[in-house]
Amino acid sequence: MTSQQPIIVVFGATGYQGGSVVNRLLSTSRHQYHLRAVTRNPQSSAARKLAEKGVEVVYGDANKPESLSAAFDGAWGAFLVTNFWDPNQGLDPETDFVQGKNLVDAAVHSGTVKFVVWSSLHDIDKASGGTLSVPHYTNKYRVEEYIRAQPGLQAAFVYAGFYAQNWVNFPPFGVPTVKEDKVVLETAVRADVALPLIDIEEDFGKFVAPLFADPARFNGLDILAATEYLTVPQMVHIYERLSGTQVHLKRIDVSTVPVPELQATINLFNRYGYYVGELIEPSLALYPSEAFGSFESWLKRVGFKPHQS
């Protein structure tokens, strides 16, 4: 497909990260770019809603390299993301590298893509000195290294923080839950560990969309996409203040967390930190005029209610 506007391809467009990117580009740059959303199911309700907004929706599957050439046809830029937690992947530790390499190869082979934004994370093998394996982190970083090795391809790397939405979607991390007429939060995350929070739906696109407007400025940068550091007790306190509901906080052993990759991730938080000790202020300083939200604003926006046991 030809377009007079530069084409930006967005993977994960019906999910949290890609959806936020599409929405932000639509709200700030609708007339600057032609947006192409890639999904495995163009007939889904989420895909149809994107089409109604004027987004081109096409089929593509990162597990099927042959499906990707059309997605990148004539494109100038791309947002690339993989999803280790996709149930279809069965928690395969190689998911992020295999899918990510397929996406990068297709972008390079298009001959037209000049700038990509990759959703990355840290190399935990390196950060831990080989003492901790967290594949969905490290394999994203391996893709980052692969992108950096591509001659002539400009790229920026955005590291999504701990989703506020994990209070809805990831109970193993610890979420307020009603048990015997009390609200309880059981977590293996240490009380003194601060997590870098982001309202992924509202704010992730604010980190990504400006990158396409100035690739030369952002080329090669690692950007930590989080708006504040909070401990679990601080998150609980904010909820208690807003809701008037007392939450009973209970520390559990990480061995009771059901999925090995989640156990490893929590061990990462507890031993080295979500961002392995890096500060978010240098990244936030790249966006001096941006109004970011907070964990508190997310609680208010969604009207969070405790889970029912």
Side-chain angles (χ1 to χ4, degrees):
M1 176 178 180
T2 59
S3 172
Q4 294 182 338
Q5 300 164 313
I7 298 172
I8 294 178
V9 178
V10 180
F11 280 80
T14 59
Y16 277 142
Q17 291 192 25
S20 186
V21 172
V22 168
N23 287 333
R24 191 62 179 173
L25 287 170
L26 284 174
S27 66
T28 62
S29 313
R30 177 181 289 270
H31 302 296
Q32 293 177 246
Y33 308 112
H34 175 96
L35 299 183
R36 179 181 295 158
V38 185
T39 174
R40 288 174 302 185
N41 185 5
Q43 302 306 316
S44 69
S45 59
R48 290 198 299 270
K49 288 178 181 177
L50 289 176
E52 291 169 0
K53 294 178 181 179
V55 176
E56 180 191 3
V57 178
V58 302
Y59 169 76
D61 186 337
N63 290 311
K64 300 177 180 178
E66 68 277 7
S67 75
L68 299 175
S69 59
F72 288 103
D73 183 37
W76 164 80
F79 170 73
L80 309 179
V81 63
T82 52
N83 183 9
F84 171 86
W85 304 106
D86 181 346
N88 294 315
Q89 295 305 119
L91 302 180
D92 182 346
E94 291 298 310
T95 291
D96 294 292
F97 184 73
V98 171
Q99 290 187 351
K101 185 177 182 297
N102 286 343
L103 295 176
V104 175
D105 287 344
V108 170
H109 292 161
S110 74
T112 60
V113 172
K114 304 301 180 186
F115 179 67
V116 301
V117 179
W118 167 245
S119 180
S120 193
L121 283 172
H122 288 89
D123 181 348
I124 304 308
D125 288 351
K126 179 179 179 180
S128 70
T131 64
L132 182 63
S133 176
V134 189
H136 84 277
Y137 265 70
T138 298
N139 282 332
K140 285 183 173 66
Y141 187 79
R142 289 174 62 202
V143 177
E144 176 175 333
E145 291 183 312
Y146 187 67
I147 292 171
R148 290 182 183 276
Q150 303 301 313
L153 182 64
Q154 291 187 312
F157 308 93
V158 181
Y159 292 44
F162 187 85
Y163 296 11
Q165 286 79 356
N166 284 340
W167 262 31
V168 175
N169 298 318
F170 263 98
F173 281 128
V175 299
T177 303
V178 177
K179 293 185 176 181
E180 299 178 353
D181 298 324
K182 294 190 300 184
V183 178
V184 179
L185 190 153
E186 298 179 343
T187 182
V189 179
R190 286 203 332 256
D192 63 326
V193 170
L195 299 171
L197 269 291
I198 181 173
D199 178 344
I200 200 73
E201 292 171 297
E202 286 290 301
D203 285 344
F204 187 73
K206 298 175 186 176
F207 284 96
V208 175
L211 308 181
F212 290 103
D214 197 350
R217 177 189 174 204
F218 294 105
N219 182 42
L221 292 187
D222 287 336
I223 298 167
L224 306 185
T227 59
E228 60 185 337
Y229 268 109
L230 292 174
T231 65
V232 173
Q234 288 173 327
M235 295 161 67
V236 166
H237 176 71
I238 293 169
Y239 173 69
E240 288 179 326
R241 175 169 51 80
L242 292 178
S243 67
T245 301
Q246 182 181 8
V247 177
H248 299 267
L249 189 57
K250 178 183 178 182
R251 176 81 188 279
I252 60 175
D253 191 270
V254 70
S255 65
T256 65
V257 175
V259 179
E261 184 76 4
L262 286 174
Q263 293 180 10
T265 302
I266 293 172
N267 281 330
L268 166 66
F269 298 167
N270 288 340
R271 297 176 191 175
Y272 304 100
Y274 186 105
Y275 282 147
V276 295
E278 292 191 20
L279 302 177
I280 61 175
E281 284 77 11
S283 293
L284 290 172
L286 297 170
Y287 306 87
S289 61
E290 193 59 75
F292 291 107
S294 64
F295 183 68
E296 179 169 338
S297 65
W298 173 76
L299 288 171
K300 292 176 179 177
R301 182 172 69 82
V302 303
F304 177 81
K305 301 294 183 185
H307 294 239
Q308 298 295 318
S309 59

